[in-house]
């Protein structure tokens, strides 16, 4: 299933898909198109998946078949991270299932995260699959996580379930799977209505060094 968009009052709910929701070039095109609409029409953004995965990260099959385009592809992925990081509306990732690698990075690019309480792992497995973090990816993770959490998450590949992810401040709260999008939307309700231009500028200032690193050629 391709990414889909629905609205709950003034909050956009962007469903990333119903499979592993890997960040393929076609998927990136579809998500960016939806984000264009959300910037115009919504007062807040929730992203989520359906089923077992929030996102399983980079499309490694595509990369294997298109190795000569790796730099272009990673650049596009990092452009999405930067866009979410500085999005002109408040954002929450409703992590419905597994979030691995670049899928976890997509989640932490949001302002807040709500994770399913009983199933699914939040994990940066790069150390175990021999894929070092880019400068931009490392900068974003370190900007968003507590220092010791970043060390453990990035250097050990530890898999965090929902309650442990809250304790490590990887996510802000947990909820049962049927209620996860509702919980994410509830977190946004008190803060919607901020001026989008001002909000975007504040986020851009907060994360100026991160966005610069995400634009750096790897």
């Amino acid at each position: 299933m391709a990414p889909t968009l629905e609205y709950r009052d003034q909050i956009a709910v962007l469903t990333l898909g119903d499979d592993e929701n890997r960040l393929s070039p076609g998927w990136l095109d579809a998500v960016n198109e939806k984000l264009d609409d959300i910037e115009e029409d919504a007062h807040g953004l929730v992203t989520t998946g359906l089923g077992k995965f929030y996102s399983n990260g980079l499309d490694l099959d595509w990369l294997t078949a298109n190795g000569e385009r790796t730099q272009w592809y990673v650049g596009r992925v990092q452009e999405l991270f930067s866009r979410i990081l500085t999005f002109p509306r408040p954002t929450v990732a409703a992590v419905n299932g597994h979030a691995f690698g670049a899928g976890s990075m997509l989640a932490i690019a949001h302002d807040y995260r709500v994770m399913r309480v009983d199933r699914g792992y939040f994990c940066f497995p790069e150390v175990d699959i021999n894929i070092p973090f880019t400068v931009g990816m490392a900068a974003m993770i370190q900007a968003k996580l507590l220092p010791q959490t970043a060390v453990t998450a990035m250097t050990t590949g530890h898999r965090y379930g929902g309650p442990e992810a809250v304790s490590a401040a990887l996510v802000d709260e947990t909820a049962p799977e049927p209620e996860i999008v509702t919980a994410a939307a509830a977190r946004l309700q008190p803060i919607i209505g901020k001026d989008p231009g001002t909000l975007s500028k504040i986020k851009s200032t907060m994360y100026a060094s991160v966005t610069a690193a995400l634009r750096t050629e790897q």
Side-chain angles (χ1 to χ4, degrees):
M1 184 183 84
T4 60
L5 178 60
E6 63 175 316
Y7 288 87
R8 297 191 179 190
D9 297 323
Q10 297 172 309
I11 295 173
V13 178
L14 176 59
T15 301
L16 306 178
D18 61 356
D19 52 22
E20 293 189 8
N21 306 328
R22 289 187 179 269
L23 282 58
S24 68
W27 184 94
L28 291 167
D29 289 340
V31 166
N32 277 302
E33 183 178 334
K34 301 296 186 188
L35 291 176
D36 290 342
D37 294 335
I38 293 165
E39 283 193 26
E40 293 295 324
D41 301 330
H43 287 186
L45 168 64
V46 173
T47 65
T48 193
L50 292 175
K52 187 176 179 180
F53 293 94
Y54 175 78
S55 172
N56 216 10
L58 299 180
D59 189 339
L60 299 180
D61 289 340
W62 188 92
L63 268 175
T64 299
N66 299 273
E68 75 283 356
R69 302 185 71 190
T70 296
Q71 186 170 318
W72 170 85
Y73 172 67
V74 172
R76 288 210 58 203
V77 170
Q78 295 191 162
E79 284 174 6
L80 176 62
F81 295 162
S82 184
R83 184 174 190 181
I84 296 296
L85 197 65
T86 61
F87 203 68
R89 309 290 184 181
T91 61
V92 182
V95 184
N96 58 291
H98 298 310
F100 275 72
S104 288
M105 296 177 212
L106 177 63
I108 66 165
H110 292 66
D111 299 328
Y112 305 100
R113 284 153 296 288
V114 179
M115 187 173 176
R116 180 173 173 171
V117 67
D118 58 334
R119 296 187 67 183
Y121 290 113
F122 203 106
C123 176
F124 301 96
E126 281 75 7
V127 69
D128 293 319
I129 58 177
N130 301 324
I131 301 179
F133 296 97
T134 67
V135 172
M137 291 173 180
M140 184 176 70
I141 295 168
Q142 289 174 279
K144 282 303 194 89
L145 301 188
L146 297 173
Q148 196 56 43
T149 298
V151 170
T152 301
M154 295 174 72
T155 67
T156 74
H158 182 70
R159 298 183 177 194
Y160 294 83
E164 188 181 13
V166 172
S167 296
L170 277 165
V171 304
D172 298 281
E173 63 178 292
T174 57
E177 191 275 334
E179 301 171 18
I180 192 166
V181 172
T182 300
R187 180 168 280 272
L188 284 181
Q189 281 295 344
I191 55 175
I192 61 175
K194 310 295 185 185
D195 176 71
T198 302
L199 185 59
S200 180
K201 288 178 181 178
I202 288 172
K203 291 182 185 181
S204 295
T205 300
M206 288 175 66
Y207 301 117
S209 62
V210 177
T211 55
L214 288 167
R215 290 193 299 268
T216 301
E217 291 188 8
Q218 308 302 325

